[in-house]
Amino acid sequence: MIHLFASDYDGTLFKDHTIRESDLEAIRKFRALGHKFGIVTGRSINSIRTEIDKHDIPVDFVVGINGGVVLDHDYNELFASKMDNEVADDIVNLVRDFGVEFYGTNDGYRVSREMGDGVNTIFETNVEPTDPEEIKKAGIAAMYIWSGSHESAQKLSATINDRFGRYGIHSYPNTSAVDVGVKDVSKSTGIEMIRNHYGYNGNVYAIGDSYNDVPMIRDFHGFLMDNGEMELEHLAKGGLSNTVGDALTNIMNSL
């Protein structure tokens, strides 16, 4: 029986601005037993693939932009979501008025970057930004917004859901950021696509640290990182975990 383990990236596998060798070793051991490991993230595909290559992370599948793009073991696209461009334009106008530090759109792979008025924040990105009009031509899959604070992110996310939920949009606060995507598309639906595509019939385990991880933590055997949002702990059947490697080790010891 093949089991799946899905890990968030930022704040989870990539914790404290590093990836631990002990985590990578646990991933290798899990896969050596015949099970499958994948990264399920809010990042765009180009961004997370850059991280995978940089840190030599062994993966069997990748889910980007919170379920909006799903790739198999060979990075073949199984699914890609698209937002309505006019709705996306309206969200951009709301974001500009809200006074955020920076924001952007992505087509699932490439990202744009636009700074808020009067903001001088320098935020390094691991991929070169793409012109927003090029993203729009390809089709906007999701948006990301850096609001500057946890409280601001929660307020903005709630406002977006209130105004645009009826147009097929859903957003999540993610620490000081807001992730905006297509309604009923989530990290959980991305994992289900992988599961169904390959016909895996084992358990599904997931680990994350923030609100965009709620669907997969809730729907599967979830773990919450001990540096995550503690109000989500009740959703995590596996409880708290210090690292991805610790969660994997606990799972392997129980199999």
Side-chain angles (χ1 to χ4, degrees):
M1 186 175 293
I2 296 175
H3 304 300
L4 302 186
F5 188 97
S7 175
D8 174 48
Y9 188 69
D10 294 288
T12 303
L13 183 59
F14 189 64
K15 180 185 179 184
D16 301 325
H17 306 288
T18 189
I19 293 183
R20 294 160 175 78
E21 180 56 35
S22 58
D23 285 353
L24 295 176
E25 181 59 26
I27 294 169
R28 289 190 285 265
K29 287 181 179 179
F30 184 74
R31 296 177 75 242
L33 293 173
H35 308 306
K36 306 300 179 182
F37 174 87
I39 293 178
V40 184
T41 178
R43 289 192 185 218
S44 68
I45 293 299
N46 289 357
S47 177
I48 194 59
R49 285 194 62 179
T50 297
E51 294 295 296
I52 290 169
D53 293 342
K54 176 182 177 181
H55 298 287
D56 195 22
I57 305 168
V59 296
D60 297 293
F61 59 92
V62 177
V63 176
I65 59 170
N66 298 314
V69 181
V70 181
L71 305 183
D72 68 10
H73 175 72
D74 298 312
Y75 294 131
N76 296 313
E77 184 183 286
L78 303 180
F79 172 78
S81 64
K82 295 297 178 185
M83 296 171 60
D84 181 277
N85 279 351
E86 291 186 5
V87 173
D89 285 341
D90 289 341
I91 296 172
V92 166
N93 291 332
L94 168 66
V95 167
R96 287 172 176 162
D97 293 340
F98 202 84
V100 303
E101 294 197 14
F102 62 83
Y103 61 92
T105 57
N106 73 67
D107 59 5
Y109 296 82
R110 304 170 299 170
V111 300
S112 68
R113 167 66 56 81
E114 296 186 61
M115 305 304 295
D117 293 337
V119 175
N120 297 313
T121 300
I122 297 175
F123 191 92
E124 295 295 331
T125 173
N126 68 345
V127 292
E128 188 69 26
T130 300
D131 185 284
E133 290 303 314
E134 290 299 313
I135 299 291
K136 185 179 288 188
K137 288 178 183 177
I140 297 172
M143 299 176 62
Y144 67 97
I145 306 152
W146 188 261
S147 67
S149 73
H150 182 75
E151 294 74 18
S152 179
Q154 289 186 314
K155 182 179 179 181
L156 178 56
S157 178
T159 301
I160 290 171
N161 287 332
D162 181 60
R163 295 192 187 182
F164 298 100
R166 73 194 73 176
Y167 302 111
I169 297 297
H170 187 76
S171 71
Y172 302 93
N174 186 3
T175 62
S176 296
V178 177
D179 296 334
V180 184
V182 176
K183 196 172 185 178
D184 297 325
V185 171
S186 69
K187 291 188 174 186
S188 180
T189 62
I191 295 168
E192 280 292 352
M193 288 178 192
I194 291 294
R195 192 183 196 183
N196 294 333
H197 178 73
Y198 287 107
Y200 296 139
N201 58 358
N203 296 329
V204 178
Y205 304 92
I207 188 167
D209 69 316
S210 195
Y211 297 98
N212 60 334
D213 300 310
V214 164
M216 68 175 184
I217 292 174
R218 178 195 62 215
D219 294 345
F220 304 114
H221 189 99
F223 295 83
L224 179 68
M225 292 292 290
D226 62 5
N227 59 299
E229 301 287 350
M230 286 300 103
E231 64 186 80
L232 305 180
E233 184 180 0
H234 70 284
L235 299 174
K237 300 179 184 71
L240 298 179
S241 186
N242 182 251
T243 67
V244 169
D246 286 347
L248 282 166
T249 299
N250 287 337
I251 291 166
M252 288 186 284
N253 288 340
S254 68
L255 294 178

